[in-house]
């Protein structure tokens, strides 16, 4: 087998230069076609792009409900603390400064109590409504991240396609030049 290859290469040396260039152009065209075929078969690889999950799982919803309940309990504890502070402040002498502070504290306490009441009503009436805004925000962030990943993957695929096209065109140009040179040498030899 090795001797057959050596004999073929030796016979190529004895051929005219135009045939050698034509043969080189054919081999180069075959290699370029093979590389292009491999590139097409391989295709665009988007396997690195993670799939986006559509909805929250029940465990995530339960965790968010638990978080809202913890916040409600904290608000209730703050409310009780304010009430205790107000009772302590009421026992002090009615100084102007203290009376003003007490009024501010009562206003803050009233606002806090209203907020707690509204939050409890939302959670009790419709727990889904309480979670809706947080879930929408998270879904929007996930969608944004997935779109950025898709754009990056598409950009990389386009860049690979551009590079492959450049190599194929360069190979075709070299093959064409070799064929032209072979034809010119063949014409000059005649």
């Amino acid at each position: 087998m090795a001797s057959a290859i050596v004999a073929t290469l030796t016979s190529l040396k004895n051929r005219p230069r135009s045939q050698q260039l034509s043969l080189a152009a054919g081999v180069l065209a075959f290699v370029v076609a093979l590389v292009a075929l491999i590139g097409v078969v391989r295709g665009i690889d988007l396997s690195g792009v993670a799939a986006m999950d559509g909805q929250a799982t029940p465990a995530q919803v339960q965790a968010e409900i638990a978080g809202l309940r913890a916040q409600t309990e904290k608000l209730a504890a703050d409310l009780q603390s304010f009430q205790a502070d107000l009772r302590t402040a009421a026992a002090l002498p009615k100084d102007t400064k203290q009376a003003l502070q007490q009024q501010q504290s009562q206003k803050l306490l009233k606002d806090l109590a209203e907020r707690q009441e509204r939050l409890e009503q939302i959670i009790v009436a419709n727990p889904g409504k309480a979670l809706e805004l947080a879930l929408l925000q998270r879904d929007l962030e996930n969608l944004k991240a997935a779109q950025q990943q898709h754009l990056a993957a598409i950009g990389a695929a386009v860049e690979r396609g551009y590079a492959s096209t450049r190599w194929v065109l360069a190979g075709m140009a070299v093959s064409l030049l070799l064929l032209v040179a072979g034809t010119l040498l063949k014409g000059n030899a005649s």
Side-chain angles (χ1 to χ4, degrees):
M1 175 113 183
S3 61
I5 294 173
V6 171
T8 304
L9 290 175
T10 305
S11 72
L12 286 176
K13 288 182 182 178
N14 297 333
R15 294 186 185 205
R17 176 90 51 213
S18 63
Q19 285 183 348
Q20 289 177 352
L21 289 175
S22 295
L23 185 60
V27 169
L28 185 59
F30 176 76
V31 169
V32 167
L34 183 64
V35 168
L37 179 66
I38 289 171
V40 168
V41 168
R42 191 175 75 184
I44 297 174
D45 183 23
L46 296 177
S47 62
V49 177
M52 189 178 75
D53 53 331
Q55 295 184 348
T57 63
Q60 291 171 333
V61 172
Q62 291 294 337
E64 295 221 20
I65 288 174
L68 288 173
R69 285 191 179 141
Q71 288 177 355
T72 303
E73 290 171 5
K74 184 180 182 308
L75 285 173
D78 288 345
L79 180 62
Q80 290 174 354
S81 172
F82 278 126
Q83 287 173 342
D85 289 344
L86 282 176
R87 278 185 240 126
T88 303
L92 295 174
K94 298 288 181 181
D95 213 36
T96 307
K97 187 175 182 181
Q98 288 177 345
L100 185 60
Q101 287 177 348
Q102 185 178 11
Q103 288 175 353
Q104 289 175 345
S105 296
Q106 286 175 346
K107 182 181 177 198
L108 288 174
L109 181 61
K110 182 179 176 184
D111 289 343
L112 186 60
E114 288 174 0
R115 287 179 56 204
Q116 180 186 2
E117 183 65 30
R118 280 185 292 196
L119 186 59
E120 285 177 350
Q121 287 175 354
I122 290 172
I123 291 174
V124 170
N126 191 356
K129 266 242 199 266
L131 297 175
E132 189 174 272
L133 186 59
L135 293 175
L136 286 175
Q137 181 74 22
R138 190 198 71 221
D139 289 345
L140 187 60
E141 291 297 323
N142 288 342
L143 182 63
K144 181 180 175 184
Q147 289 299 323
Q148 288 175 345
Q149 288 177 346
H150 286 295
L151 285 175
I154 289 171
V158 167
E159 185 62 34
R160 283 193 308 269
Y162 177 69
S164 297
T165 303
R166 281 190 314 203
W167 281 104
V168 167
L169 289 176
M172 288 172 52
V174 170
S175 295
L176 185 62
L177 288 174
L178 289 174
L179 283 173
V180 168
T183 304
L184 289 175
L185 287 176
K186 191 176 198 180
N188 287 342
S190 301

